[in-house]
Amino acid sequence: MNDKTKSERKPIVCQYSLKDIIDIIRKSVLLNHISKQSDCEDTINIAKGNTKSVNQLRKARKKCKRMLRTDNAFTGLSRKRIMDITKVCKNKAKHLIDNLCKSGLVNRVEQSVRVFLNYSDFSPKLANSFFRETGLNGYLYRSGSEIRLRCSNKYVYSCDLITFKL
């Protein structure tokens, strides 16, 4: 036992605040989700025949049998989904994913799809009504001479180990 009284003991000092520790846990959860999503997407693409090795194809098909959903892999990760995963508000979700991208743990790939609409028919009113009708998923914008639908970003996990620097 310790013979010192409570007033003589030195206080325990931690270099991280509680807020920092919570952010580290949130980043770990988000990185784990991104790595699992990337792994599932890669496995499904290999199982569809996008590989040169027969052994890889066999392993991917075996792994797909254990998955719940193999009809289509999710490629994007929206801020709304990041909010659900980490249980934070919209600004905090944006801040978390931006910090992961800046640190180099995750690479962001912006996705957009060409929409077959006439350039002359496009208006901000049409874009807003499309945004509401699709359940607030993506938005229309002009890009040169074509109309494009902006989808959620794709995040690619680019590391082997999960380490954080504050």
Side-chain angles (χ1 to χ4, degrees), residues 21-102:
I21 294 170
I22 291 171
D23 276 350
I24 289 171
I25 292 170
R26 286 180 178 146
K27 287 178 184 179
S28 299
V29 168
L30 189 57
L31 275 175
N32 183 42
H33 181 81
I34 291 171
S35 66
K36 286 191 299 185
Q37 184 173 341
S38 297
D39 184 47
C40 288
E41 181 185 354
D42 293 342
T43 302
I44 290 172
N45 286 337
I46 291 170
K48 287 181 179 178
N50 298 337
T51 184
K52 295 177 183 176
S53 169
V54 176
N55 195 24
Q56 258 189 340
L57 181 68
R58 186 178 54 80
K59 284 181 182 178
R61 286 184 179 163
K62 225 182 209 183
K63 196 172 181 181
C64 280
K65 288 179 183 177
R66 294 188 303 250
M67 289 183 186
L68 293 175
R69 243 184 104 156
T70 58
D71 54 342
N72 196 4
F74 290 113
T75 57
L77 185 62
S78 65
R79 287 204 182 126
K80 190 175 184 181
R81 181 71 179 129
I82 293 171
M83 288 169 44
D84 292 341
I85 293 167
T86 57
K87 307 290 190 245
V88 293
C89 66
K90 184 178 174 182
N91 289 335
K92 186 67 175 175
K94 181 182 184 304
H95 182 72
L96 280 172
I97 197 68
D98 285 347
N99 282 343
L100 287 176
C101 291
K102 285 178 187 173

